[in-house]
Amino acid sequence: TTPSALEHFTVNFTITNLPYNSDLENPDSAKFRATQRVMNTLLERLLKKSSIGTSFHGCETTDFRYEPGSHRDETRVDAVCTYSKEPWAAPLDRVGLYHEVSNKTRGITQLGPYSLDKDSLY
C-alpha cells in the first residue's frame, strides 16, 4: 500500500473579544505563545470531532493580526492544519468541513471563550 501523505489547509477567522496588542505580533512573546497554545487546543478539539477527525494531525497557529480599519478588540487568527491524505480517500471536502465547523461554533460565533465574527471564517 502507498503511505498516506500529510496535507495542509489554512484556517482564518477573527476573534471579536481578544484585544489586539503588539505582544501578539512577536512569536517569542509570552502572550503570543500562550494565545497560540489556546488556539491550537481549541482548533484541535473542534477538528478531531469532525469528519476528518480520524486523519487529523493538528493545527499550528501561525499569526495574529490586526486588520487596519477594524476595532482594536478584534484579532485575526491564521492557522495551518494538517491531516493524512490516504491514497484511496476522496479529496478534502472544504465546503462540508466549513459547514461542520459552522455548526460546532454556533454559526461561527463562538470558539471556547472567544466570540467570532460570523463572516470571518475561511
Side-chain angles (χ1 to χ4, degrees), residues 8-47:
H8 305 287
F9 61 96
T10 59
V11 177
N12 314 97
F13 54 92
T14 299
I15 296 175
T16 59
N17 63 338
L18 175 63
Y20 183 81
N21 67 43
S22 59
D23 287 340
L24 289 172
E25 286 177 21
N26 179 1
D28 296 322
S29 75
K31 172 88 171 173
F32 182 100
R33 288 193 309 270
T35 308
Q36 180 186 47
R37 270 193 307 275
V38 170
M39 286 303 137
N40 292 350
T41 300
L42 291 171
L43 287 169
E44 288 173 13
R45 281 187 196 150
L46 178 70
L47 292 169

